[in-house]
Structure formats: C-alpha cells, structure tokens
Amino acid sequence: GENVEQHPSTLSVQEGDSAVIKCTYSDSASNYFPWYKQELGKGPQLIIDIRSNVGEKKDQRIAVTLNKTAKHFSLHITETQPEDSAVYFCAASNSNSGYALNFGKGTSLLVTP
Amino acid sequence: EAGVTQSPTHLIKTRGQQATLRCSPISGHTSVYWYQQALGLGLQFLLWYDEGEERNRGNFPPRFSGRQFPNYSSELNVNALELEDSALYLCASSFGGNGYTFGSGTRLTVV
C-alpha cells in the first residue's frame, strides 16, 4: 500500500519568514496530493491540493510543488502569520482507491511574533 | 451551505460495549469516508462508502463496520470496544473525489 513520509515533525519560524514542509510517497499510482491544516479541536481543513498532471500550484501565500519522478511534494507558506500556527498534514491518493487518503504523520508549525 | 456534520461530538463507552457514530455529508456528495485519528498514529483510513456500498476499507478488524443510507448519510459502528479504540473519528465526503471535506469529528473515549 501507499506510504507517505512527512518532514519535519515540528517547525518553528518567526512571523514573516517562510515555512517549507516536505512529503514523499511510495505508490506511483497516486495522482492526487492534498494538504490539510488542523487546528486544535477541529477537523482537517483543505488548504491546497495538486494533481499529478501539474507541477506547481499557488494560492496567495501558499504553494505546492510536485516532483513525480522523485515521488515527493512540498508545501511552501510565505510571509507566515501567527494564525498559520497549526498541524499540517500531507496526503496522497488515487482514483482507483476512491481517493481514500493516505496521510503523513503531520507537522506542527509554530509561528512566533 | 452546511458542511459535513458529525454526531455526537463526544462519546464515552465502556470496554466491550458498542459505539455508533453518525455523519451527514455535504449536499450532493455521494461518497463518505471514515478516518481514525489516534494519538501517535496520525490519521488512518477506515472505510469508504459510495452510492450505498462499501467500496474500500483500511487495515482495521471487522468489528469496525458501517453503512451508508439512501440519503448518503453514514454511520460507523465499532463493536467490542477496546481501550485503544479511543480516538477522534473523522468523516469526510466528496463527489467523485472533488470537494473532499472533513467534519469536526467524534471524540470516542473507551474506559
């Protein structure tokens, strides 16, 4: 089955700096890669996603890059703000399994003022 | 538009009992997914229902089961509860993999 590795497990940055979280996956059939933000006591919230026919996608301060050959994808957050502090999860899935998500173990991001 | 709703928000059960968790998907979504989020184990896929049928299940024992109703809502049943079943159970819905949205979860505590 699919195995998703996520690094780092914790990340602390100063407000205004950039944050980068990296994930690798094992199943070459995976074709959908979402990123979720989870705040305390809430369910995961989709912040950005990318499909395997695209190499990069950007939405304001958030961007995701995908390298299919190396089987890794990354989340980039620029100009971080204290409200970006949360746990971030990457995931991989494919249409054959009905988009059941295989998650990384999460990155706890702390943005200090 | 209402999001994915789950009930109850908290549930306390005794070891050996059964728990039933409920999920209402976003209107128009036909797929419902269940995940377990246990401390130290991250988010793990449990079950996928689509059009009333179980389509896929994760690496969980048969005492984890569920069903999807004609209105696409779903329930998750956990039989013979064990202490390690204590976790946040999350439901998500989508339509053909699009609009994948999670609910806020049910916190199950087994004592």
Side-chain angles (χ1 to χ4, degrees):
Chain A
E2 174 67 275
N3 182 43
V4 178
E5 302 273 348
Q6 182 173 347
H7 300 280
S9 56
T10 60
L11 180 60
S12 183
V13 300
Q14 288 224 305
E15 183 177 0
D17 288 349
S18 295
V20 180
I21 303 171
K22 299 183 179 182
C23 288
T24 60
Y25 63 99
S26 60
D27 188 352
S28 55
S30 289
N31 57 12
Y32 177 63
F33 307 92
W35 285 88
Y36 287 88
K37 175 183 181 182
Q38 188 174 27
E39 296 172 319
L40 206 59
K42 297 184 179 179
Q45 178 187 11
L46 178 69
I47 56 171
I48 196 166
D49 58 6
I50 193 167
R51 296 188 186 268
S52 59
N53 58 347
V54 175
E56 185 174 354
K57 185 176 178 180
K58 190 173 180 181
D59 182 5
Q60 297 182 349
R61 298 186 296 111
I62 294 172
V64 57
T65 59
L66 171 65
N67 183 327
K68 280 188 342 183
T69 304
K71 294 198 187 77
H72 67 70
F73 56 114
S74 300
L75 176 72
H76 304 253
I77 305 174
T78 59
E79 300 171 25
T80 53
Q81 301 165 3
E83 49 266 39
D84 294 329
S85 297
V87 180
Y88 291 80
F89 292 94
C90 64
S93 71
N94 67 74
S95 53
N96 295 334
S97 65
Y99 297 102
L101 298 173
N102 297 283
F103 283 91
K105 294 237 183 273
T107 296
S108 179
L109 173 65
L110 178 64
V111 181
T112 54
Chain B
E1 178 185 280
V4 176
T5 56
Q6 292 187 244
S7 63
T9 52
H10 294 85
L11 190 57
I12 300 175
K13 291 286 185 179
T14 303
R15 191 170 48 184
Q17 284 189 316
Q18 179 197 40
T20 298
L21 289 63
R22 295 181 176 82
C23 172
S24 292
I26 288 174
S27 177
H29 285 189
T30 59
S31 283
V32 170
Y33 309 80
W34 287 95
Y35 291 84
Q36 182 195 66
Q37 188 172 27
L39 272 175
L41 293 177
L43 280 147
Q44 294 185 285
F45 167 68
L46 259 168
L47 290 158
W48 167 39
Y49 291 95
D50 184 64
E51 297 287 356
E53 300 282 333
E54 181 183 307
R55 304 291 185 180
N56 196 8
R57 67 182 292 130
N59 190 24
F60 282 84
R63 57 191 186 81
F64 287 84
S65 65
R67 53 181 170 165
Q68 186 178 33
F69 299 98
N71 66 354
Y72 303 112
S73 67
S74 174
E75 69 179 28
L76 173 70
N77 296 296
V78 188
N79 294 319
L81 283 165
E82 300 177 2
L83 296 178
E84 49 265 36
D85 295 334
S86 295
L88 180 68
Y89 289 84
L90 291 158
C91 170
S93 73
S94 81
F95 179 73
N98 295 308
Y100 212 112
T101 305
F102 281 86
S104 294
T106 293
R107 172 73 62 187
L108 173 63
T109 303
V110 183
V111 297

